[in-house]
Amino acid sequence: MALEDICRFKDRGLRTSEKNSAIPLDFFTPPSANSASFCLPNHSTTVRRPFPLSHGTTTLGFIFQGGVIAAADTRASAGGGADCMLWERILTREIRLYQLRHRRRLSIRGTAKLLSFMLHPFKGTEVCVALTLCGWDKEAGDCLIYVCSDGARLQGDIFSVGSGSPYAYGVLDGGLKWSLSKDEAISLAREAVFRATHRDAYSGNNVDLFHITAQGWSQRKREDLKEEYYRDMEKRSKDRREKIKRE
């Protein structure tokens, strides 16, 4: 399901009994409290990872006068991407079931609450999930909520997640304004992801960018950040030559 489908479906009431739940509640019980290993159900052996895993990527989202912008690179290291994809599928199924049962879509805040509830039992385990739910609904308007694998849930106007987020925040903090036009907001998001991928070894490849409003969502054509790097180097070289000429 596309990013905005998740963004717009958001707000589900929490289940109070296993009888009415699509997923048994014991499914969400982590396999082991030991963060260095996990035990398979009905097995006495413990499977240990042969080496530590490093997680990395760059994702961001922010709210401006024209809606919500969400952007991310397409490189993800180790198991972080797999965990996020699994929980995206679980969440997609749950909000779809909610829509079928109640004949209305789940709000963003409700979806974030549901996801936080499902992830909290995995606190302290090797599960690595950090999702930013973004979109628009009648209850909250433009909305941006961060949920991570320990069950934390934060709502704000700007978030960047991943190993490249410090570099992305550096660009966003310097250029983000409420009054940005759509083109300016898109340019800022591209710049933030590009700078992060250039400095962070765990981020890179392409950039995916989405614009979300009350009327729906749109996705820009995927762009190769390598080409952006060469364009940036060419621009800097041209600026230096012009500066030398003026002097």
Side-chain angles (χ1 to χ4, degrees), residues 113-133:
K113 188 175 183 180
L114 169 64
L115 181 60
S116 172
F117 169 77
M118 292 191 297
L119 286 173
H120 185 266
F122 292 87
K123 182 177 182 179
T125 69
E126 289 289 338
V127 173
C128 180
V129 176
L131 299 178
T132 303
L133 307 180

Side-chain angles (χ1 to χ4, degrees), residues 5-208:
D5 291 329
I6 295 177
C7 298
R8 292 179 358 204
F9 279 6
K10 317 232 168 249
D11 201 24
R12 166 163 197 214
L14 296 182
R15 298 179 303 276
T16 57
S17 68
E18 187 170 333
K19 179 180 179 181
N20 297 323
S21 173
I23 304 176
L25 294 183
D26 59 4
F27 172 83
F28 301 111
T29 303
S32 174
N34 184 356
S35 62
S37 62
F38 62 93
C39 297
L40 299 176
N42 302 321
H43 289 75
S44 59
T45 59
T46 299
V47 179
R48 296 184 179 276
R49 290 175 175 168
F51 51 83
L53 295 179
S54 298
H55 306 291
T57 190
T58 300
T59 65
L60 62 88
F62 60 82
I63 299 174
F64 71 112
Q65 59 84 22
V68 182
I69 292 290
D73 71 324
T74 58
R75 179 184 298 175
S77 61
D83 286 345
C84 288
M85 290 176 66
L86 170 64
W87 283 97
E88 178 188 348
R89 292 172 182 173
I90 294 172
L91 184 62
T92 299
R93 178 178 64 183
E94 288 294 289
I95 58 180
R96 178 58 176 158
L97 288 172
Y98 179 92
Q99 184 181 18
L100 292 172
R101 289 167 179 160
H102 301 281
R103 299 184 183 277
R104 63 185 178 90
R105 288 177 173 176
L106 201 52
S107 72
I108 301 172
R109 290 176 178 173
T111 300
K113 188 175 183 180
L114 169 64
L115 181 60
S116 172
F117 169 77
M118 292 191 297
L119 286 173
H120 185 266
F122 292 87
K123 182 177 182 179
T125 69
E126 289 289 338
V127 173
C128 180
V129 176
L131 299 178
T132 303
L133 307 180
C134 49
W136 183 94
D137 61 41
K138 294 181 180 180
E139 293 184 12
D142 295 325
C143 198
L144 199 64
I145 304 178
Y146 166 75
V147 182
C148 70
S149 46
D150 64 359
R153 176 165 47 101
L154 302 172
Q155 184 171 347
D157 295 330
I158 175 175
F159 286 110
S160 184
V161 182
S163 56
S165 60
Y167 309 105
Y169 271 126
V171 176
L172 294 174
D173 289 342
L176 181 59
K177 296 182 294 184
W178 173 257
S179 60
L180 290 177
S181 67
K182 175 183 174 181
D183 290 340
E184 289 172 335
I186 289 174
S187 177
L188 178 64
R190 289 176 65 255
E191 178 77 6
V193 175
F194 164 61
R195 296 299 174 189
T197 57
H198 180 55
R199 296 294 181 185
D200 177 41
Y202 298 110
S203 303
N205 299 101
N206 306 302
V207 57
D208 289 329

